[in-house]
Amino acid sequence: MAILFHGNNHVIELCDITNVCSEVDDQGAVYYGRDPSEQGNVIRYCYFHELSPRHRVTATYHDDGACGAEVYGNIYHKAGSLPVLIGGGHNNHYRHNIFIDSPVAIHIDARMQGWGKFMIEKGAIIDQRLQTVNYKNPPYSTAYPLLAAYWDNDTSYPKGNVIEGNLFYKIGNVVHGQSEWLELYNNWATGSDPGFVDAADPLKGFKDDALIYQRINGFPRLPFEKIGCDLSK
């Protein structure tokens, strides 16, 4: 992987990530999971591209009940077999991302209702990790109020995952999984050019009069020119 993280309130931004996870199966370029207390994390304005489609490779991987991430303004261009994987978690928010040329854009499952139910049994790994941070008391309860109610409803059901204002360009299936596990709105799926300056090089951005600004309400001007770095300097 490129980035494995643990903890809270990290910001991963302006990264250019390519050609990672090329010799593994079931892995992510940016990866974390199996601890719903790890909330407040942001992944924004990154360019994920040319990730292997041969294996189960993901660009942003929320594994085994990961919750509460904000993911926005990223470009997923040929970004693996499953560019996004939400593995049974809650309240992950995807907005204003660009998905290009992939058979699938977003995978979501309800693993906690099936093979992963051992993780949410009383005293098991999820319970242990929540108890470790005293999730019902400050600072966790004030910083992440939804976390304090983690067990109040059916924890096995992947709820509160929002997909809004995203572009899906030349995508076979937007969702791999059941769409009722997601809140989908204000997205645009198209096979026609949404207004790229150069569709082969998404970092060149959109034309000023690009159709995307008309078809997706509130789609922002993304900082394409700031993504990545110049290693020659």
Side-chain angles (χ1 to χ4, degrees):
M1 66 193 76
I3 299 173
L4 165 67
F5 71 85
H6 292 291
N8 302 79
N9 299 349
H10 300 300
V11 177
I12 298 169
E13 64 180 355
L14 301 171
C15 300
D16 184 338
I17 298 177
T18 186
N19 290 312
V20 296
C21 306
S22 61
E23 299 180 8
V24 296
D25 178 71
D26 191 21
Q27 190 54 271
V30 175
Y31 178 95
Y32 74 118
R34 202 169 283 195
D35 187 347
S37 76
E38 295 180 332
Q39 301 210 7
N41 297 298
V42 175
I43 304 168
R44 65 187 181 191
Y45 311 135
C46 294
Y47 183 29
F48 302 99
H49 57 113
E50 303 301 333
L51 304 181
S52 173
R54 294 175 298 166
H55 311 290
R56 292 178 297 166
V57 171
T58 293
T60 48
Y61 198 145
H62 312 260
D63 203 8
D64 290 352
C67 298
E70 291 281 340
V71 186
Y72 59 89
N74 301 285
I75 307 166
Y76 298 82
H77 184 199
K78 297 181 179 179
S81 57
L82 301 170
V84 171
L85 192 151
I86 300 173
H90 312 153
N91 304 314
N92 296 293
H93 189 186
Y94 274 75
R95 57 186 166 87
H96 301 149
N97 299 286
I98 300 167
F99 295 87
I100 306 170
D101 198 8
S102 296
V104 172
I106 297 169
H107 167 92
I108 185 166
D109 59 58
R111 62 186 59 189
M112 303 306 191
Q113 295 183 344
W115 66 264
K117 62 183 179 181
F118 72 94
M119 290 183 277
I120 57 172
E121 293 175 352
K122 184 174 178 58
I125 189 66
I126 297 299
D127 189 17
Q128 292 173 21
R129 288 176 170 170
L130 289 174
Q131 295 296 339
T132 296
V133 298
N134 296 314
Y135 72 104
K136 285 193 172 183
N137 299 305
Y140 275 79
S141 61
T142 51
Y144 320 113
L146 293 176
L147 184 62
Y150 184 80
W151 299 109
D152 290 356
N153 296 303
D154 184 0
T155 300
S156 70
Y157 188 87
K159 56 184 178 291
N161 295 296
V162 177
I163 312 296
E164 62 161 324
N166 301 280
L167 170 67
F168 300 98
Y169 174 55
K170 292 185 176 180
I171 300 297
N173 291 310
V174 170
V175 177
H176 180 259
Q178 297 187 30
S179 58
E180 57 263 35
W181 294 334
L182 295 168
E183 299 175 32
L184 294 133
Y185 56 92
N186 191 33
N187 300 291
W188 182 31
T190 181
S192 301
D193 186 351
F196 288 112
V197 171
D198 180 356
D201 185 0
L203 282 190
K204 291 182 180 178
F206 294 108
K207 300 172 185 175
D208 289 339
D209 61 349
L211 193 56
I212 187 174
Y213 298 122
Q214 301 173 38
R215 295 299 300 270
I216 301 179
N217 184 41
F219 196 90
R221 307 282 170 159
L222 300 177
F224 297 101
E225 72 285 354
K226 295 181 181 180
I227 296 173
C229 61
D230 185 350
L231 298 179
S232 67
K233 294 180 181 180

